[in-house]
């Protein structure tokens, strides 16, 4: 009789491995019938759900979610303009011109391949002519349209800037680029 208590059919081995227990018929202490096995699995699964634990192995969980996350991240990196992470501050540069014609001329120079900071020194009418750099600016510290444009831009470099279209504010026309986000 003792050997009958320890005997576990091979098909129940995976349960033993997964749950670290051997299901037994609670009335007769023998290997379970398919019906009692089904009710045992259901009860065990409900108990696991109620306790908040997950039956998946950590390696599977990590691998499954990690790969999906990497695919999403690479999709965001590839997409232009989309997938920006929320930021509370941006390192921004701009070129400010009172007249639209002068701002369009500066924009054309940048599109022809000139460095943003050099064009800013030549064209910007802003008091701080340090290559158009305004440094790190937090949300709420900039004029509405300027802020919206700045926080919508991908970070780029002065050699190959990603530019905003002309932004009109009470100060004039701005060409904006962002060097960093955090």
């Amino acid at each position: 009789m003792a050997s009958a208590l320890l005997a576990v059919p091979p098909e129940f081995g995976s349960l033993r491995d997964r749950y670290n227990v051997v299901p037994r018929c609670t009335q007769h202490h023998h290997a379970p019938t398919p019906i009692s096995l089904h009710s045992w699995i259901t009860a065990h699964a409900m108990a696991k759900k109620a306790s908040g634990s997950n039956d998946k192995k950590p390696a599977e969980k990590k691998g499954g979610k990690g790969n999906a996350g990497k695919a999403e991240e690479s999709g965001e990196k590839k997409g232009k303009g989309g997938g920006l992470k929320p930021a509370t501050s941006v390192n921004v540069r701009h070129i400010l011109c009172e007249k639209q014609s002068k701002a369009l001329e500066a924009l054309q120079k940048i599109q022809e391949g000139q460095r943003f900071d050099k064009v800013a020194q030549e064209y910007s009418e802003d008091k701080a002519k340090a290559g158009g750099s305004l440094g790190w600016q937090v949300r709420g510290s900039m004029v509405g349209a300027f802020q919206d444009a700045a926080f919508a831009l991908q970070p780029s470099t002065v050699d190959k800037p990603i530019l905003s279209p002309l932004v009109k504010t009470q100060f004039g026309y701005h060409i904006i680029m962002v060097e960093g986000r955090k």
Side-chain angles (χ1 to χ4, degrees):
M1 181 95 178
S3 63
L5 288 175
L6 298 175
V8 178
E11 60 269 17
F12 299 135
S14 63
L15 291 171
R16 180 186 60 231
D17 295 341
R18 184 170 184 179
Y19 297 111
N20 200 23
V21 294
V22 178
R24 296 267 177 222
C25 176
T26 56
Q27 293 175 350
H28 301 91
H29 304 289
H30 59 78
T33 63
I35 293 171
S36 65
L37 179 62
H38 176 31
S39 51
W40 179 85
I41 291 172
T42 305
H44 190 75
M46 295 264 201
K48 285 278 191 182
K49 268 188 187 175
S51 71
S53 66
N54 194 345
D55 287 342
K56 290 184 181 178
K57 295 177 184 174
E60 288 175 330
K61 185 177 176 183
K62 248 186 189 174
K65 285 189 179 180
N67 291 341
K70 287 178 186 173
E72 288 171 9
E73 287 174 16
S74 64
E76 287 178 4
K77 288 178 185 175
K78 288 179 186 174
K80 288 187 178 178
L84 279 177
K85 292 182 181 178
T88 56
S89 61
V90 288
N91 188 1
V92 65
R93 288 181 182 265
H94 79 139
I95 297 170
L96 172 64
C97 301
E98 189 178 329
K99 298 194 178 205
Q100 184 179 13
S101 58
K102 189 172 180 182
L104 289 171
E105 192 178 320
L107 184 61
Q108 185 178 357
K109 294 272 187 185
I110 295 168
Q111 289 170 342
E112 289 172 355
Q114 290 191 29
R115 289 174 54 102
F116 188 94
D117 54 347
K118 299 298 180 195
V119 174
Q121 286 175 341
E122 184 181 339
Y123 284 87
S124 187
E125 298 165 8
D126 191 8
K127 291 176 185 172
K129 288 194 172 192
S133 178
L134 297 174
W136 286 97
Q137 299 292 315
V138 296
R139 233 180 246 282
S141 66
M142 299 172 274
V143 179
F146 186 98
Q147 176 174 285
D148 293 343
F151 278 94
L153 286 170
Q154 292 272 0
S156 58
T157 63
V158 291
D159 293 337
K160 295 183 180 179
I162 297 174
L163 305 171
S164 69
L166 285 185
V167 176
K168 172 80 170 117
T169 68
Q170 69 225 35
F171 303 107
Y173 294 89
H174 303 265
I175 303 168
I176 306 167
M177 71 161 286
V178 169
E179 292 183 292
R181 299 171 59 87
K182 59 180 178 181

